[in-house]
Amino acid sequence: MLVYPSGVDVSSSALRFLSAQLRRRRKELGTRWRRLNAGRQALLALAHLRNGHTYAQLGSGFGVGTTTAHRYVAEAVELLAALAPTLAEAARAASLKAFVILDGTLLPIDRIAADRPYYSGKHKKHGMNVQLIADPFGNLLWASAALPGAVHDIKAARTHGVIEALAEAGIRCWADRAYQGAGGTVRVPYRGRWNKLSAGQRAVNVSHAKIRAVGEQAVATLKSWRLLRKLRCSTTRITTLVRAVLTLHLNASR
């Protein structure tokens, strides 16, 4: 396999954060020696998450075996995922904001047509449903566990307890029509054809859409990590990957 220099468009603060966590982990385990130091292991994991390189490609580039590359990445991802904020912690952080934006996104996966639980009729593809909470500036605050793509957004939000958590904290929330009937503090646009709505309802929907549009930045933040654009791993690992990316985003942006 040919090897060439490449770059990873990730901030140095993310590398420093992950390196520090890995050094702490190695100290706890009493690790005395490894093929890669904590900094190189962190870079390897970031290259996998950001660029979606395979373990064989990473192993060749970093001078380690494929199995070792897999083990190093898995260790880093699990370490990051454990540091991701819970919904309760995210709700406390959101309580300091004027409002939040709730949205759902589909992370595509490589599944065949027979895997109906993972097929999203809305997106016309197989994937996993992930719920996101963003602040008024579009910054990602929380990401849910991944559910099969056939699960509707409002059902996913209720399954994770998002609506109840926001209502208990008294946090106003803007969401799209997929959350119609959610209740609590969730505000959705008026339903109906444009020509059937009153002038006041149209104005409300236009304002509502402008606010929700900012929330698309949170979706873009998540999918800027190329591994999440087309997942080819087991569906049981996707939640861990999403939480790892969330941890990196939150700590690198501080």
Side-chain angles (χ1 to χ4, degrees):
M1 184 177 291
L2 298 177
V3 179
Y4 65 95
S6 182
V8 183
D9 55 340
V10 178
S11 66
S12 58
S13 57
L15 178 63
R16 289 194 300 270
F17 172 77
L18 181 52
S19 299
Q21 296 301 321
L22 289 171
R23 281 193 291 269
R24 187 177 296 109
R25 177 62 174 168
R26 292 185 181 191
K27 186 176 181 179
E28 291 174 354
L29 296 175
T31 303
R32 303 184 67 179
W33 181 86
R34 289 193 184 184
R35 284 291 298 272
L36 299 181
N37 60 34
R40 294 287 288 173
Q41 181 183 354
L43 183 59
L44 183 149
L46 290 175
H48 177 68
L49 292 171
R50 191 68 170 185
N51 294 336
H53 293 321
T54 65
Y55 299 122
Q57 291 171 324
L58 293 171
S60 297
F62 284 82
V64 297
T66 302
T67 302
T68 301
H70 177 275
R71 187 172 66 252
Y72 280 177
V73 170
E75 181 184 36
V77 168
E78 290 173 5
L79 185 60
L80 290 170
L83 299 174
T86 63
L87 179 57
E89 292 170 340
R92 285 195 292 271
S95 64
L96 303 176
K97 312 293 182 179
F99 61 89
V100 296
I101 302 167
L102 174 63
D103 199 2
T105 187
L106 187 82
L107 301 181
I109 59 175
D110 59 341
R111 286 295 182 273
I112 60 176
D115 293 326
R116 299 303 299 178
Y118 300 99
Y119 185 78
S120 169
K122 175 183 176 181
H123 298 89
K124 308 300 181 185
K125 64 177 68 174
H126 293 81
M128 299 294 283
N129 182 303
V130 175
Q131 298 295 299
L132 306 174
I133 295 178
D135 70 8
F137 301 100
N139 298 315
L140 183 61
L141 297 178
W142 178 79
S144 74
L147 294 176
V151 178
H152 196 271
D153 280 338
I154 188 171
K155 182 178 180 180
R158 285 172 172 162
T159 300
H160 298 305
V162 178
I163 298 170
E164 294 80 0
L166 295 177
E168 289 177 5
I171 303 170
R172 292 185 297 172
C173 173
W174 268 252
D176 59 26
R177 289 186 178 89
Y179 299 89
Q180 196 79 35
T185 56
V186 178
R187 299 183 178 183
V188 296
Y190 288 103
R191 293 186 65 180
R193 295 182 180 275
W194 183 258
N195 58 358
K196 299 290 185 179
L197 299 177
S198 66
Q201 290 174 328
R202 293 179 186 176
V204 169
N205 281 6
V206 169
S207 177
H208 199 285
K210 290 180 179 178
I211 294 174
R212 291 199 328 272
V214 179
E216 292 299 323
Q217 296 179 27
V219 176
T221 295
L222 195 66
K223 292 188 176 181
S224 65
W225 298 81
R226 296 175 186 85
L227 184 69
L228 300 181
R229 295 180 187 175
K230 184 65 173 181
L231 289 153
R232 294 177 173 83
C233 61
S234 169
T235 55
T236 59
R237 294 189 59 239
I238 296 177
T239 294
T240 304
L241 291 170
V242 170
R243 287 176 174 166
V245 167
L246 174 64
T247 299
L248 284 171
H249 168 71
L250 292 176
N251 288 276
S253 60
R254 289 174 182 172

